Amino acid sequence: MNNNILEINKLSVSYTPGKKAVADVTTSIEQGKVTAIMGPSGCGKSTLLRAINLMHAIYPNIKVEGEILFDGRNLLEDEPMVVRRNIGMVFQRPNPFPTMSIAENVLAGYTLNGIRLSKAQKSEIIERELRSVGLWDEVKDVTNKRGTFLSGGQMQRLCIARALALRPKVLLMDEPTSALDPIATQTIERLIVELKKDVTIVIVTHNMGQAMRVSDHSLFMYLGDLVESGTTKKMFSTPDDPRTREYLLGKIS
């Protein structure tokens, strides 16, 4: 039985004509799992992730070809706002909206989509999502304060709560702990493992230890190509491609 939530077919992304940052990638993302995208800097892993969320749509010079199928539809033919209701994204650096309170940040997706909520609905969503990221007990008395007063780890959890508030089916995370200290990183990693019960997660990481700790499946990219994919356990123990082996041994960086 096919349990894939995303099917990526011959996906290419070009920033300049004739040069592909991502080249003809074909792969699938399994529902209810954490998939890690690994590879050295500049290999196309963040570009691939951003293509899924249509982040390139705002740049007319960037060319995206191929298919990203979600529920049988090619996301590349959909409106970005529609896509982002089902596919949330968390970025490398915590980025709460600076003029918004903690509560307003959680509800930002509803505000931006013009979805009206009653006061009771707002309260329920704010508490539900802040609890889902383990932040409620830490901020429940200060939700009217700006999100930027929080610590780095707290801000990143707030951004995850914001991304989850619209109940997306997929959550994309672009190196979500690279700007955090080790304690905050551990908290986010535990959260990722917990969240996969409710949402499919795709995480870009340069940290091989992190990929081993949190992911079920892994993709290895090199120079824009998808070199290898499979279970994380298999890839780390017996990779099929010598380039994957060299990367895991630290010979490619």
Side-chain angles (χ1 to χ4, degrees), residues 140-159:
K140 62 184 178 183
D141 297 323
V142 291
T143 57
N144 61 332
K145 282 195 173 185
R146 290 189 178 183
T148 48
F149 100 96
L150 299 170
S151 70
Q154 288 175 319
M155 283 196 289
Q156 192 65 304
R157 282 187 283 155
L158 175 59
C159 292

Side-chain angles (χ1 to χ4, degrees), residues 14-20 61:
S14 304
Y15 294 110
T16 54
K19 184 170 181 178
K20 294 180 177 180
N61 57 315

Side-chain angles (χ1 to χ4, degrees), residues 4 12 18 59 116 125 165 172 175 181 188 222:
N4 297 329
S12 295
Y59 303 104
R116 298 180 67 86
I125 292 166
L172 309 176
E175 299 200 22
D181 62 57
I188 298 292
Y222 186 60

Side-chain angles (χ1 to χ4, degrees), residues 129-147:
E129 299 309 335
L130 291 176
R131 282 191 184 280
S132 76
V133 298
L135 201 53
W136 175 250
D137 289 337
E138 298 169 36
V139 304
K140 62 184 178 183
D141 297 323
V142 291
T143 57
N144 61 332
K145 282 195 173 185
R146 290 189 178 183

